[in-house]
Amino acid sequence: MEALSVRDYRNNLASSFDRADKGEQVLIRRKNQIYALVSIGREDLTISPALQKRINEARKAYKDGNVVSCATPDELSAFLDSL
């Protein structure tokens, strides 16, 4: 898919949003960067009760000192390999 220039995007805002609403990825080129306009649902903006529970558990574990610390990239790599 070809990226729209910023000028084309500005001149066709409504159709760009319509395309994104239909699930199409709209690409916008600004200088040497490319951006994507995508539609997201409300569920992407809210924290579910299950996720909130996991966040609360992680905060408690951190507060209680039940964490793994990695001081170097090698320690981090070894820890991730152990998972």
Side-chain angles (χ1 to χ4, degrees):
M1 158 179 254
E2 186 176 324
L4 298 170
S5 68
V6 172
R7 175 180 289 168
D8 289 339
Y9 171 67
R10 259 195 327 253
N11 291 338
N12 298 292
L13 279 174
S15 66
S16 296
F17 281 101
D18 289 343
R19 289 169 47 198
D21 285 340
K22 293 176 186 170
E24 184 178 340
Q25 188 178 51
V26 178
L27 302 178
I28 304 150
R29 183 183 65 254
R30 179 176 184 243
K31 298 182 183 178
N32 292 327
Q33 295 288 341
I34 295 181
Y35 301 87
L37 173 66
V38 293
S39 177
I40 60 171
R42 182 158 293 291
E43 65 276 2
D44 296 318
L45 301 174
T46 59
I47 297 175
S48 69
L51 179 56
Q52 186 62 57
K53 180 181 177 193
R54 291 183 64 201
I55 291 170
N56 292 343
E57 290 169 354
R59 285 180 174 157
K60 183 177 181 332
Y62 176 77
K63 185 177 179 183
D64 294 345
N66 297 326
V67 296
V68 174
S69 296
C70 299
T72 67
D74 289 337
E75 287 179 5
L76 177 59
S77 183
F79 172 70
L80 293 175
D81 288 341
S82 74
L83 296 177

